Amino acid sequence: MNRCRRFDSKLSLDRASAIGDSWAMLAQPYQLYIERTDPARNMARYYALSIESTLFGTFCLTRRWGRIGSSGQSIEHHFDGEMEAVAMFLDLLCRKRARGYSLKTIRHQRIV
């Protein structure tokens, strides 16, 4: 707090900001991690999707995929509206589920 009269320029950072919250905030978080494994074919793949708002007021759909345990590849898609990003998110989810990808439960390990 800047309360010293000698240095107070009436531009204190203590006052409420006029900017407020961004209009480009997501209604809910969109994150997905699915896997496809087949030991007979030595297949162990993952596919991850997430939607985040950017600093510029747009929405970014990030896709990551590869072999489980590797860093894999990624690509980003930018959209002006949240609904466009969600539509692509759901379309990709349907395609991957049709190919045999399924949700995996995450086991929480207790660290001693």
Side-chain angles (χ1 to χ4, degrees):
M1 294 193 332
N2 186 7
R3 295 290 180 211
C4 181
R5 290 182 185 204
R6 192 168 58 165
F7 298 109
D8 195 1
S9 64
K10 299 191 191 235
L11 298 174
S12 176
L13 297 175
D14 298 333
R15 284 185 261 159
S17 173
I19 296 173
D21 288 337
S22 171
W23 57 269
M25 306 239 347
L26 288 171
Q28 64 181 17
Y30 294 95
Q31 295 180 344
L32 176 74
Y33 178 84
I34 52 180
E35 292 181 355
R36 181 179 178 192
T37 57
D38 185 359
R41 296 173 53 194
N42 193 24
M43 181 189 303
R45 300 178 182 164
Y46 72 91
Y47 197 82
L49 295 168
S50 67
I51 300 176
E52 299 172 354
S53 56
T54 66
L55 294 173
F56 302 108
T58 61
F59 297 91
C60 179
L61 169 65
T62 304
R63 300 166 35 182
R64 294 183 302 115
W65 68 92
R67 185 165 177 84
I68 295 173
S70 71
S71 59
Q73 302 176 34
S74 67
I75 190 169
E76 293 181 349
H77 303 276
H78 295 273
F79 299 93
D80 290 330
E82 179 181 357
M83 296 314 296
E84 298 164 353
V86 172
M88 185 172 184
F89 183 97
L90 294 174
D91 181 52
L92 290 167
L93 171 60
C94 289
R95 287 188 203 177
K96 293 301 173 182
R97 293 292 303 240
R99 293 193 57 128
Y101 283 82
S102 61
L103 295 171
K104 298 295 178 183
T105 58
I106 299 173
R107 296 181 186 152
H108 297 283
Q109 296 179 351
R110 184 176 174 176
I111 300 174
V112 180

